Amino acid sequence: MNEKDILVRALSKNEEVRAFALTDKGIAEEARKLHETSPIATEALGRTLSAGLILGDMMKEKGDLVTIQFFGDGGLKHILVTSDFEGQVKGYVSVPGYTALSTGEEGDDIRKGIGRGTLTVIRDYHLKEPYSSQIAIHTGDIAGDLTYYFSQSEQTPTSVGLDVLLGEDGAVLASGGYLIQLMPFASQKTIDTLVRNLSRPFPIAQYLVSHTPEELLSVVLDGFDPQITGTKDVSWHCSCSEERGKMVIATLGRKEIEEMIRENKPVEASCVFCGKKYTYTKEELEEILSSLPQEKRAA
Ligand code: ZN
């Protein structure tokens, strides 16, 4: 079951509720292996990757990007996820090895790991400036923060559920979730039914071990006869390359690069998203330096 990572989109039969659901165990496990995350970091990053994929699907067209950033005072410090309209996602957590004593309360470790701080969502439609909005971290369990984000920044009643289930060895057994949004013209009856559905505690990841995202939506949207309007494959994808690495080095500036050339040894740079290492020779550094615009003289 769910060997493939997929995302589905749906609309309730009465067209008053739109929904997204996904299963992305493969992506969460890929992230765990690449970043060698602790169980708490695996769950926090996994939830944020799922959120990124859903928000990416809410964008308009190919090339659109969404970035979700949690900056908290908890032990995980910083989580950053970037996703696009085509179902590709990448991300990292700045302290992948963070562990805490478990309190046994569901979600509590993640809340402590995230702590207090800010959640920023940046939507880039490739038109002028990207749209960026920031809220204070609300619950610290990621799903609750996204729910709050939609009510604050977009004034759209939304409910987000995200969950990752790990095995004894820390490997990901299931990951995924949903996002449900009320249309502006939704009736009170629709709202009441949704509130009732969502108030029941539901083990999302446990359910996804043996069920599809479509089945997850039929549970959350019980009574709404959800119609699937789209399905797409989702995957972990890092777009780093030797060339992009050169661009990153170029941003360090003339002085820094001249210093590296003086040291006369190859420079190794690794990608924060996937850990892939790129090595640049002295000659390549000189080439980067010569591509930089001449510094302006002080007037
Ligand atoms: Zn990379």
Side-chain angles (χ1 to χ4, degrees):
M1 266 297 201
N2 288 337
E3 288 313 310
K4 242 172 110 180
D5 291 345
I6 57 163
L7 181 146
V8 299
R9 228 170 293 146
L11 193 63
S12 63
K13 198 158 187 203
N14 68 7
E15 299 187 356
E16 293 181 13
V17 187
R18 73 162 175 163
F20 304 80
L22 85 163
T23 182
D24 60 355
K25 168 190 157 177
I27 291 169
E29 178 65 2
E30 175 97 35
R32 181 184 79 93
K33 287 185 184 153
L34 283 174
H35 294 289
E36 297 177 6
T37 45
S38 69
I40 299 170
T42 306
E43 286 190 51
L45 181 57
R47 288 182 192 192
T48 315
L49 288 165
S50 297
L53 286 164
I54 295 174
L55 267 64
D57 196 57
M58 296 170 91
M59 302 291 281
K60 291 199 172 72
E61 57 183 32
K62 195 176 164 184
D64 292 349
L65 292 174
V66 63
T67 298
I68 301 177
Q69 286 187 79
F70 282 90
F71 262 110
D73 63 2
L76 295 166
K77 297 210 185 307
H78 180 204
I79 299 178
L80 188 145
V81 162
T82 295
S83 185
D84 63 18
F85 186 70
E86 289 156 281
Q88 298 180 334
V89 71
K90 61 182 176 179
Y92 67 84
V93 46
S94 61
V95 188
Y98 169 73
T99 53
L101 287 177
S102 180
T103 54
E105 196 189 322
E106 182 77 22
D108 205 39
D109 285 342
I110 294 179
R111 284 199 289 268
K112 281 195 186 134
I114 300 272
R116 282 171 304 187
T118 56
L119 160 63
T120 308
V121 177
I122 303 161
R123 286 191 166 92
D124 189 352
Y125 294 99
H126 290 92
L127 309 154
K128 297 177 193 161
E129 288 292 295
Y131 295 95
S132 172
S133 52
Q134 191 174 75
I135 59 160
I137 291 172
H138 187 61
T139 57
D141 69 356
I142 296 159
D145 300 302
L146 267 305
T147 296
Y148 188 65
Y149 163 79
F150 279 98
S151 74
Q152 293 296 303
S153 293
E154 321 242 311
Q155 280 93 43
T156 311
T158 304
S159 181
V160 183
L162 302 166
D163 197 14
V164 177
L165 181 69
L166 305 181
E168 291 282 318
D169 59 352
V172 179
L173 297 179
S175 172
Y178 61 79
L179 182 147
I180 291 170
Q181 216 160 46
L182 277 178
M183 294 305 205
F185 47 83
S187 67
Q188 191 59 44
K189 186 170 168 250
T190 291
I191 297 169
D192 293 344
T193 310
L194 257 189
V195 168
R196 198 168 59 235
N197 286 2
L198 295 169
S199 64
R200 299 179 197 131
F202 189 76
I204 301 168
Q206 185 69 56
Y207 185 81
L208 285 173
V209 171
S210 53
H211 295 86
T212 64
E214 289 92 333
E215 288 169 316
L216 174 63
L217 281 185
S218 67
V219 173
V220 188
L221 293 180
D222 185 23
F224 288 103
D225 194 11
Q227 315 285 308
I228 301 299
T229 57
T231 301
K232 73 175 165 199
D233 292 341
V234 290
S235 59
W236 173 277
H237 178 75
C238 188
S239 49
C240 68
S241 65
E242 179 123 2
E243 276 312 301
R244 278 184 184 234
K246 284 184 187 171
M247 279 150 67
V248 173
I249 291 177
T251 63
L252 295 174
R254 191 167 284 276
K255 244 177 128 179
E256 189 89 1
I257 300 169
E258 280 169 350
E259 183 65 29
M260 292 193 286
I261 292 169
R262 259 197 302 278
E263 283 178 24
N264 197 16
K265 53 186 179 195
V267 168
E268 197 175 73
S270 58
C271 172
V272 289
F273 290 103
C274 71
K276 200 166 170 183
K277 290 185 171 62
Y278 296 95
T279 309
Y280 299 95
T281 60
K282 187 186 167 201
E283 288 69 32
E284 283 171 306
L285 292 171
E286 281 166 345
E287 188 194 309
I288 296 167
L289 188 67
S290 66
S291 73
L292 289 179
Q294 291 295 321
E295 261 163 36
K296 287 194 192 111
R297 291 209 188 124

